[in-house]
Amino acid sequence: AAGVIQSPRHLIKEKRETATLKCYPIPRHDTVYWYQQGPGQDPQFLISFYEKMQSDKGSIPDRFSAQQFSDYHSELNMSSLELGDSALYFCASSFGSNYGYTFGSGTRLTVV
Amino acid sequence: GQQVMQIPQYQHVQEGEDFTTYCNSSTTLSNIQWYKQRPGGHPVFLIQLVKSGEVKKQKRLTFQFGEAKKNSSLHITATQTTDVGTYFCAGLAMGTGGFKTIFGAGTRLFVKA
């Protein structure tokens, strides 16, 4: 069965650079979520989209933005990267909010 | 604000011992989900509980949802080294902006062979 696809798997950027993470949800899932997970931490909710519209916002810094496109894939754009942005970024999708999330394998971002 | 507290933060067990992690919510939940994240992996959905007092089993795993739908537990009988990982609960609750899923901080399970 198709899973949530995230790209790239690994990304190394320098401070103050920008990064774009991509997520392809499971077909027919209408909700996409972005999470940030630091080492040894639980996933922190960043932002979500329902049917291509932003549905909820968590602890997403102003330097970050995200959108969901007409083909339902989503992108997380991160600018003016800081060392503290180094983390695993997960995308998850679900069919509505009343069902389990399917997480992608994540993008490991390292800012040097 | 709404919170889901999960305890313990971590637990070390000898293989064959039982393990339990608990989640408590400050508000009534519509449902609660459990996830397992292996070291270096991503969270994987295990199960969802919806009804008050619901109990579900998956092999050696037993999931319970409290009568008040504010707490839940995951119990693993006779742990194996393959059970190693972090177990997260996630509660769906109604907030001012609509339904929100709130993750607990996770319980990290270490199993010694």
Side-chain angles (χ1 to χ4, degrees):
Chain A
V4 176
I5 308 296
Q6 286 188 248
S7 67
R9 290 295 304 274
H10 303 273
L11 191 58
I12 300 176
K13 290 284 186 178
E14 294 188 355
K15 282 192 305 183
R16 292 180 288 278
E17 284 193 318
T18 61
T20 298
L21 279 53
K22 296 186 178 183
C23 169
Y24 296 84
I26 289 177
R28 290 185 294 281
H29 277 194
D30 54 17
T31 309
V32 168
Y33 312 83
W34 285 98
Y35 285 84
Q36 177 192 58
Q37 188 175 34
Q41 304 293 315
D42 57 298
Q44 294 296 311
F45 172 68
L46 295 178
I47 196 166
S48 64
F49 294 86
Y50 171 73
E51 286 291 343
K52 295 165 278 186
M53 298 286 288
Q54 182 180 310
S55 55
D56 197 6
K57 201 170 182 180
S59 51
I60 184 169
D62 292 340
R63 299 177 289 107
F64 294 6
S65 65
Q67 56 183 325
Q68 187 175 27
F69 295 86
S70 57
D71 65 351
Y72 287 87
H73 95 272
S74 179
E75 294 183 4
L76 178 65
N77 299 293
M78 311 159 72
S79 63
S80 303
L81 287 169
E82 302 173 357
L83 295 178
D85 296 328
S86 296
L88 256 176
Y89 289 84
F90 288 110
C91 171
S93 72
S94 72
F95 182 69
S97 61
N98 208 26
Y99 297 90
Y101 295 5
T102 301
F103 282 81
S105 298
T107 294
R108 183 173 296 279
L109 172 68
T110 304
V111 181
V112 297
Chain B
Q2 294 157 333
Q3 283 188 329
V4 173
M5 307 299 291
Q6 192 172 354
I7 56 169
Q9 190 175 4
Y10 58 87
Q11 187 157 3
H12 293 257
V13 300
Q14 195 75 30
E15 190 174 25
E17 291 182 338
D18 292 355
F19 158 77
T20 306
T21 172
Y22 301 90
C23 267
N24 291 289
S25 168
S26 56
T27 58
T28 302
L29 301 171
S30 296
N31 68 43
I32 193 152
Q33 301 163 0
W34 285 92
Y35 295 80
K36 177 184 177 181
Q37 185 175 20
R38 292 181 186 274
H42 59 279
V44 174
F45 175 74
L46 295 176
I47 208 160
Q48 176 172 283
L49 304 172
V50 180
K51 300 176 185 174
S52 168
E54 190 170 11
V55 177
K56 286 189 177 180
K57 291 192 174 185
Q58 287 180 349
K59 296 182 181 177
R60 293 177 295 104
L61 277 61
T62 302
F63 304 84
Q64 291 189 322
F65 201 9
E67 293 290 341
K69 299 182 74 173
K70 283 189 172 184
N71 56 72
S72 180
S73 66
L74 157 59
H75 179 81
I76 302 179
T77 304
T79 54
Q80 300 174 359
T81 53
T82 52
D83 295 326
V84 163
T86 303
Y87 293 85
F88 293 99
C89 63
L92 180 68
M94 174 61 93
T96 52
F99 280 102
K100 276 192 177 186
T101 295
I102 305 165
F103 276 79
T107 295
R108 192 165 180 187
L109 174 63
F110 300 87
V111 180
K112 187 175 180 182

